[in-house]
Amino acid sequence: MKNKRNVLYSLIILLIGVIYFAVQAQQKNGTHRADFSGEWKSKESISMGGNIVCCYNSGDRMLAKTMKIAEQANFLTIEVSSSLPGTAPVISQEKLTFDDKESEINNGPERGKKFTVKLSADRQTMTVNSIVHLMVPTPYHVDVQKQMLVYVTEVWKLSNDGKSISVQANAKSNLFGSERSWETIFDKTN
């Protein structure tokens, strides 16, 4: 009888040990969630996928095929090197704050964008709503310029394994009636 009791106690202790280590392993896996931080590369820029003007200047992240992202608790920064066709690449950094308050980038008269950023509760989806404003020549009167506004919504989704970001973009201009939608995939390079 004494041997049966010792075996039973040993099995209970062994079972408690197995459960304890399983719980510890789960907690460690749960504390390190994938985030947007890292270096990312795509075959094409976000703006080129939709074939619509939704960037306003060289150095805009919408023109970049590579991005370096650093995520913090309340914001992330995106560092890129990009250019408009025929111009030298410009390195820039954009700060996206997760407070859903309007931010603005202004690069001279009639050129820039206003945007808001919202991060989901699970920190795996980010929505960026932008209004890009610039002056463009009017058809048949290139010396006459009009204000063009492009309304852009980007939904950034981080894959479960943290190895890719899909950016679903929708854009519509006040000068051109049709809305464009497209997706750009960035793969993690580091």
Side-chain angles (χ1 to χ4, degrees):
M1 197 58 134
K2 204 173 191 180
N3 279 343
K4 285 185 182 179
R5 196 176 315 162
N6 286 340
V7 169
L8 183 62
Y9 286 139
S10 297
L11 285 175
I12 290 172
I13 291 172
L14 183 63
L15 183 60
I16 290 172
V18 168
I19 291 172
Y20 173 79
F21 286 113
V23 168
Q24 290 300 316
Q26 283 287 348
Q27 287 177 348
K28 287 181 183 175
N29 287 339
T31 58
H32 180 68
R33 293 201 66 145
D35 66 14
F36 289 97
S37 295
E39 293 182 22
W40 304 88
K41 185 172 185 163
S42 180
K43 292 179 184 172
E44 61 184 16
S45 68
I46 296 171
S47 69
M48 298 320 303
N51 194 22
I52 189 169
V53 178
C54 51
C55 57
Y56 64 94
N57 226 21
S58 290
D60 189 298
R61 68 177 169 73
M62 296 292 282
L63 287 174
K65 292 182 183 178
T66 59
M67 299 183 290
K68 186 175 182 180
I69 300 175
E71 183 176 334
Q72 306 297 321
N74 299 322
F75 66 93
L76 61 79
T77 55
I78 302 175
E79 185 176 305
V80 300
S81 174
S82 67
S83 64
L84 294 169
T87 63
V90 174
I91 296 172
S92 70
Q93 189 176 66
E94 190 170 336
K95 183 177 179 179
L96 304 179
T97 306
F98 306 138
D99 59 7
D100 207 22
K101 292 182 182 175
E102 188 173 81
S103 299
E104 184 174 4
I105 297 175
N106 192 348
N107 274 21
E110 313 292 342
R111 298 179 68 77
K113 68 179 168 181
K114 295 178 181 181
F115 59 94
T116 60
V117 183
K118 188 169 187 171
L119 188 65
S120 64
D122 67 359
R123 301 185 71 85
Q124 303 299 294
T125 303
M126 176 176 69
T127 304
V128 182
N129 289 301
S130 304
I131 301 173
V132 178
H133 51 94
L134 56 142
M135 296 301 288
V136 295
T138 57
Y140 310 110
H141 301 285
V142 292
D143 55 334
V144 178
Q145 299 222 342
K146 281 188 169 181
Q147 174 81 54
M148 182 165 90
L149 300 174
V150 183
Y151 303 91
V152 184
T153 299
E154 303 162 67
V155 179
W156 295 45
K157 290 187 180 182
L158 187 63
S159 65
N160 290 336
D161 62 4
K163 294 183 179 178
S164 67
I165 298 171
S166 70
V167 180
Q168 179 65 45
N170 298 307
K172 186 173 183 174
S173 166
N174 67 327
L175 297 181
F176 308 106
S178 64
E179 183 173 321
R180 303 262 175 109
S181 297
W182 66 98
E183 182 179 43
T184 307
I185 304 293
F186 285 87
D187 295 312
K188 197 164 197 173
T189 60
N190 66 342

